[in-house]
């Protein structure tokens, strides 16, 4: 399964979800879905925007694991 | 979530569906009360036809025939009321912009089932009238079942609605997937 490590990256950058939401232009509700790992898919454009704001690689946010978190 | 770009026709249909529901309920209650009044010996003159028998007043009609009439009417009225109720609920959800929601599709599916039930009540009533007229005419031993008055438009319409509900349910799944795509 794909694990979303957005909360870890946010903590490292000392950035709140609200701040990220404002900078990326995604609603808090959608970011919350992504953070909780409930999202079914992520658009490349969204991933690009998040990576740009957080100055990270997609691999820092997304992780593949054979087992659940 | 209220859609701000709702066409006027949808607004009108939403209002009409509510009005038609309460109108159907009112008319149904009146019809049922009239039949109950006739069942217990009420007077009503006219050209009354039950199977092959003709009457001039409901007083002349046998209790059994009137009981069949009450049962058939109740059986026919119930799905009609439910259809108008579900249509009203369906239109309300459409009016609120909930097109591809499971609840909306559920109402569409129920309407199709109820339309089919009206068709089945039609067949059942034809069958009951045939049996009743055969009982009244004691010499007749053959139970002749005729279904000349039954229209096939109802089951066809029900089938179309049922297929549409399945198409919409696929749409609902796609919408859910789209909603969870960030």
């Amino acid at each position: 399964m794909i694990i979303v490590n957005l909360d870890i990256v946010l903590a490292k950058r000392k950035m709140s979800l609200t701040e990220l939401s404002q900078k990326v232009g995604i609603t808090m509700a959608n970011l919350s879905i992504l953070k909780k790992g409930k999202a079914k898919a992520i658009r490349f454009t969204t991933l690009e925007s998040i990576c740009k704001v957080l100055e990270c690689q997609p691999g820092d946010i997304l992780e593949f694991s054979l087992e659940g978190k | 979530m209220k859609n701000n770009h709702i066409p006027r026709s949808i607004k009108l249909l939403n209002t009409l569906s509510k009005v038609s529901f309460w109108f159907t309920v009112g008319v149904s209650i009146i019809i049922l009360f009239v039949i109950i009044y006739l069942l217990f010996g009420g007077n009503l003159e006219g050209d009354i036809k039950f199977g092959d028998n003709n009457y001039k007043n409901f007083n002349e009609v046998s209790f059994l025939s009137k009981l069949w009439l009450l049962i058939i009417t109740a059986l026919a009225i119930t799905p009609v009321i439910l259809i108008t109720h579900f249509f009203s609920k369906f239109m309300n959800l459409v009016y609120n912009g909930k097109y591809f929601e499971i609840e909306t599709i559920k109402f569409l599916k129920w309407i199709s089932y109820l339309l089919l039930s009206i068709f089945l009540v039609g067949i059942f009533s034809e069958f009951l009238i045939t049996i009743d007229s055969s009982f009244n005419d004691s010499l007749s031993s053959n139970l002749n079942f005729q279904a000349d008055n039954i229209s096939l438009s109802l089951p066809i319409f029900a089938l179309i609605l049922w297929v549409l509900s399945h198409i919409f349910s696929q749409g609902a799944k796609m919408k859910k997937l789209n909603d969870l795509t960030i």
Side-chain angles (χ1 to χ4, degrees):
Chain A
M1 71 177 290
I2 301 293
I3 298 162
V4 181
N5 291 322
L6 190 65
D7 46 353
I8 298 167
V9 182
L10 278 172
K12 279 180 186 169
R13 302 289 186 277
K14 290 176 184 169
M15 194 185 280
S16 69
L17 203 66
T18 317
E19 201 182 336
L20 180 70
S21 162
Q22 284 164 355
K23 283 182 177 173
V24 174
I26 300 171
T27 61
M28 274 291 288
N30 277 346
L31 268 184
S32 186
I33 288 169
L34 183 66
K35 200 182 124 185
K36 285 174 187 169
K38 286 182 180 174
K40 291 273 180 193
I42 183 164
R43 290 187 187 92
F44 280 147
T45 48
T46 311
L47 194 60
E48 196 181 319
S49 307
I50 292 170
C51 288
K52 204 178 276 178
V53 171
L54 293 175
E55 292 171 346
C56 66
Q57 290 298 312
D60 297 330
I61 300 165
L62 304 173
E63 180 193 335
F64 172 71
S65 170
L66 285 170
E67 293 169 16
K69 203 174 186 178
Chain B
M1 184 185 71
K2 199 126 183 170
N3 197 334
N4 293 323
H5 305 289
I6 293 287
R8 277 186 184 175
S9 53
I10 296 289
K11 279 183 191 174
L12 189 69
L13 267 174
N14 184 35
T15 313
L16 276 176
S17 66
K18 283 187 177 79
V19 171
S20 70
F21 168 65
W22 288 110
F23 179 76
T24 311
V25 169
V27 169
S28 303
I29 289 169
I30 292 166
I31 290 170
L32 283 177
F33 270 107
V34 167
I35 295 171
I36 290 166
Y37 163 73
L38 295 173
L39 186 69
F40 295 104
N43 257 323
L44 192 71
E45 288 183 355
D47 291 321
I48 304 146
K49 194 168 181 258
F50 272 93
D52 296 329
N53 306 309
N54 288 302
Y55 305 95
K56 287 287 171 197
N57 195 311
F58 262 98
N59 274 337
E60 300 162 12
V61 181
S62 68
F63 182 80
L64 191 68
S65 296
K66 286 189 277 189
L67 191 68
W68 285 142
L69 182 69
L70 181 69
I71 292 166
I72 292 161
T73 311
L75 280 173
I77 277 174
T78 310
V80 171
I81 290 173
L82 285 172
I83 284 172
T84 51
H85 174 65
F86 288 150
F87 184 65
S88 167
K89 291 264 183 190
F90 172 79
M91 281 313 301
N92 191 46
L93 286 167
V94 170
Y95 177 66
N96 286 310
K98 294 176 179 174
Y99 306 105
F100 292 106
E101 300 284 331
I102 296 295
E103 207 182 351
T104 315
I105 295 151
K106 192 180 77 185
F107 286 128
L108 207 62
K109 212 173 262 183
W110 270 109
I111 291 169
S112 76
Y113 293 147
L114 287 166
L115 282 172
L116 197 68
S117 78
I118 292 176
F119 171 70
L120 294 175
V121 166
I123 294 175
F124 183 59
S125 67
E126 290 268 338
F127 182 65
L128 283 184
I129 288 166
T130 314
I131 290 175
D132 190 35
S133 61
S134 301
F135 276 130
N136 286 342
D137 182 12
S138 56
L139 292 171
S140 169
S141 56
N142 294 326
L143 289 177
N144 242 349
F145 175 58
Q146 290 178 325
D148 302 336
N149 301 326
I150 299 166
S151 166
L152 281 174
S153 58
L154 270 180
I156 290 167
F157 188 56
L159 198 72
I160 291 168
L161 275 186
W162 187 78
V163 172
L164 272 178
S165 72
H166 271 270
I167 293 167
F168 277 119
S169 68
Q170 287 301 315
K173 279 179 194 168
M174 284 167 74
K175 186 187 173 287
K176 196 181 174 187
L177 200 69
N178 189 51
D179 286 346
L180 289 171
T181 301
I182 312 299

